[in-house]
Amino acid sequence: MDAQEPHDAAGDSRIRVWDAPTRIFHWLYVACFVAAWLMLDAARLDWHVLAGYIALGLLVFRVAWGFVGTRHARFRSFAAGPRAVAGYLRGIIGRKSPHLAGHNPAGGWSILAMLALGLAIGASGIVALGAMHGYGPLAVLANSDSALALRELHEILAWILLALVPIHLAGVALGSFVNRENLVRAMIDGRKSGLDCADAVAPHTLLACLMVAVAAAGAFAYRRHADDAISSAGKAPHAPADANAKAWNEECGSCHFAFPPALAPARVWLAMIDPATTHFGETLDLSAGRRAQLEHFAAAHSAEHEAGWVAERTRRADWGAQRITATPFWRRLHRDLDFEALKRSGRVAAAYDCGACHRDAASGKFEPRAIQSQ
Amino acid sequence: MNIVHRAIAASILGLACGAARADAVSGLLAQYQKQGASNFSAASGQSMWIKPFNDPKTGEPRRCATCHSEDLRRVGKHATTGKAIEPLAPSANKERLTDAEKIEKWLLRNCKWVMARECTPQEKGDFLVMIQSR
């Protein structure tokens, strides 16, 4: 291969320093990171998670490649000590830094940081996914007490990685300027100019093709699995076959969305239908028979009796105002929505018109993938 | 199910609802008469339907039409929750006025919401004959 090294317009020989798998990793990692930020909306959680899985797979490969890959891709070649970093930065200021084939000592550390953060983001994402929603490889963590904290951690790590991006870009710009070498182009075609032929590395094109094929096959398999999950998300766990369920759906559903009983603990439901108090300022005028039916249904299916993340949240929520829309966890999960605008557009009847967006609201599951954003 | 079967099923349902409606309404009207009401009038029902009453708590005017709309054949909107309320007119919604227990419950609850008092048997009968005619 080296005999066929192309020459650029100036006739200066450009040799390959980045093999194809390293470059494919770089750009797919960028694509996954961008995609994950664009798919923050809970309705697109599936795509967000897919981007995360691909990024994690890429990162695992990159770590292995850091040990067995080509010369400049190995960690050993760019994990320099603090003294080397300081020396390199001093050189940059004096504009006499050496033109290096691989990463410079400062860049090496930012690469290591971005790889480590990516792994931490992926790991925390999988843990949060399992704990919040009971999905993914760690679904057994469902309803863990620290679910929201884990999601928070996932978010904070992603912000740190996002903050590293401009530093990385500034380093690329500075390096390109100081050494008169377009480093972006180098990460695209893998070549740098003005170097010794001994620095050249093998292309490993086949391995890069294999990486893309594995990522594509994984994405395809994941999407099929996700589509199956969506079609089953709307099914109610307890079909309203019994008379109490029917009474519940009729009485509640006459005036507003018939909230599934998992949305509140029994004491909250009982207070809501207590004839001695009003129902948010309204009188219900339930017959004694109907009220008894509602009481039985609430007692049998309230948050204390249902599984799933919603029941877990509503059990422990602060019910001071007796409204689901006033509970801190509900407000947090819906903080980005402008319900006044949604009401004006006719999209929802009220903030508590759960079924307008959650296709599986009647079942009480409230899976993120069952949210319909339009 | 082909179109003929569907038409037959729909007419059977329509007839059944019509019969249930006749039973439910005539039963209630007889009951109201026993309680002292007489000469039910759709016109009186209609004028009550659109008459505003001030809510003692908020001072805001409330009417039957606030939630059910003035045209009973149209979909209404719950004043507080915004939920769509299916048309009350039997011509637009076959299931209306077919369940005496349901009629009594909502006349009780909704009269209190609009007028802050229960309807008299006369008023309830006027409403029923008015709704039935729509």
Side-chain angles (χ1 to χ4, degrees):
Chain A
M1 289 300 283
D2 287 356
Q4 293 162 5
E5 290 301 335
H7 292 258
D8 65 14
D12 184 12
S13 160
R14 296 177 72 242
I15 61 155
R16 181 182 298 105
V17 292
W18 305 123
D19 57 55
T22 302
R23 285 177 280 142
I24 289 287
F25 163 79
H26 176 274
W27 294 112
L28 282 183
Y29 188 32
V30 171
C32 289
F33 190 59
V34 171
W37 272 108
L38 294 179
M39 308 293 171
L40 287 182
D41 179 0
R44 284 178 290 193
L45 183 71
D46 268 336
W47 291 103
H48 179 92
V49 170
L50 174 58
Y53 280 147
I54 295 178
L56 254 187
L58 289 165
L59 283 161
V60 169
F61 165 82
R62 184 63 185 88
V63 169
W65 201 238
F67 292 104
V68 302
T70 60
R71 199 162 134 201
H72 310 299
R74 292 195 185 202
F75 298 132
R76 220 176 37 195
S77 76
F78 61 81
R83 202 168 296 167
V85 175
Y88 176 80
L89 291 177
R90 266 199 302 277
I92 286 264
I93 294 161
R95 292 193 58 184
K96 53 179 188 226
S97 62
H99 188 193
L100 298 165
H103 293 299
N104 66 57
W109 278 104
S110 86
I111 307 303
L112 289 178
M114 287 196 282
L115 296 182
L117 271 170
L119 286 167
I121 292 168
S124 63
I126 286 180
V127 174
L129 189 68
M132 278 283 294
H133 307 300
Y135 288 144
L138 294 182
V140 290
L141 298 177
N143 310 331
S144 117
D145 282 353
S146 37
L148 272 183
L150 287 163
R151 196 179 85 151
E152 204 86 309
L153 174 71
H154 179 66
E155 225 175 292
I156 292 168
L157 290 170
W159 277 106
I160 298 175
L161 181 52
L162 188 64
L164 284 184
V165 170
I167 298 174
H168 174 63
L169 293 179
V172 168
L174 192 64
S176 297
F177 174 72
V178 169
N179 289 320
R180 308 244 166 258
E181 171 90 61
N182 184 342
L183 293 179
V184 178
R185 182 181 168 201
M187 191 43 83
I188 293 170
D189 69 6
R191 296 168 188 279
K192 286 184 182 178
S193 59
L195 293 166
D196 195 297
C197 283
D199 283 323
V201 299
H204 291 289
T205 316
L206 200 62
L207 183 60
C209 292
L210 191 66
M211 278 170 75
V212 174
V214 168
F220 184 72
Y222 175 82
R223 281 311 312 176
R224 281 195 57 172
H225 163 78
D227 290 344
D228 289 349
I230 284 180
S231 56
S232 67
K235 288 178 188 142
H238 39 74
D242 66 290
N244 293 347
K246 196 163 165 283
W248 180 275
N249 287 336
E250 273 177 22
E251 292 297 345
C252 308
S254 287
C255 292
H256 52 70
F257 173 70
F259 302 106
L263 274 187
R267 63 186 156 79
V268 174
W269 292 124
L270 295 181
M272 275 182 204
I273 54 177
D274 182 353
T277 61
T278 68
H279 182 87
F280 304 108
E282 310 274 346
T283 48
L284 296 179
D285 292 306
L286 292 165
S287 68
R290 285 295 247 194
R291 194 171 64 249
Q293 282 187 302
L294 301 190
E295 283 169 357
H296 281 127
F297 191 64
H301 299 289
S302 64
E304 293 93 330
H305 299 92
E306 298 290 309
W309 74 274
V310 170
E312 195 269 336
R313 302 305 305 176
T314 54
R315 246 189 329 266
R316 294 189 293 116
D318 172 7
W319 279 95
Q322 304 254 314
R323 287 177 186 272
I324 183 77
T325 51
T327 58
F329 93 94
W330 187 96
R331 294 170 64 92
R332 218 181 143 64
L333 289 174
H334 298 82
R335 66 187 166 206
D336 296 334
L337 294 174
D338 179 354
F339 282 103
E340 287 311 311
L342 288 169
K343 271 157 72 176
R344 276 195 301 276
S345 71
R347 180 76 178 81
V348 302
Y352 45 86
D353 187 11
C354 314
C357 301
H358 294 272
R359 280 174 295 172
D360 60 348
S363 73
K365 284 184 178 175
F366 293 93
E367 295 189 358
R369 54 178 50 153
I371 298 172
Q372 211 161 19
S373 42
Q374 279 311 308
Chain B
M1 207 157 60
N2 66 31
I3 196 141
V4 177
H5 287 148
R6 233 180 269 181
I8 293 170
S11 18
I12 291 171
L13 183 70
L15 287 172
C17 285
R21 182 153 55 241
D23 282 355
V25 174
S26 58
L28 284 172
L29 291 180
Q31 185 187 319
Y32 299 152
Q33 274 167 340
K34 262 185 237 157
Q35 294 164 352
S38 61
N39 298 327
F40 298 114
S41 143
S44 314
Q46 174 64 24
S47 62
M48 281 292 276
W49 184 262
I50 53 172
K51 185 176 173 190
F53 295 83
N54 286 337
D55 177 49
K57 270 178 280 175
T58 64
E60 278 177 31
R62 289 178 169 184
R63 307 185 303 160
C64 302
T66 304
C67 295
H68 288 294
S69 94
E70 283 192 29
D71 182 351
L72 273 65
R73 288 163 303 184
R74 285 178 46 195
V75 173
K77 190 178 170 191
H78 193 288
T80 312
T81 70
K83 187 188 163 78
I85 300 175
E86 293 305 312
L88 262 193
S91 65
N93 185 352
K94 286 195 283 288
E95 285 173 32
R96 291 301 190 189
L97 305 187
T98 56
D99 180 343
E101 195 187 330
K102 204 168 165 181
I103 296 170
E104 272 286 85
K105 181 241 156 98
W106 288 105
L107 279 174
L108 168 68
R109 193 262 170 205
N110 291 348
C111 284
K112 282 163 75 175
W113 188 82
V114 175
M115 311 192 286
R117 65 166 173 83
E118 288 183 33
C119 282
T120 63
Q122 181 69 46
E123 286 164 337
K124 289 198 280 189
D126 290 344
F127 279 133
L128 284 190
V129 293
M130 184 276 286
I131 297 170
Q132 201 175 23
S133 71
R134 292 293 190 268

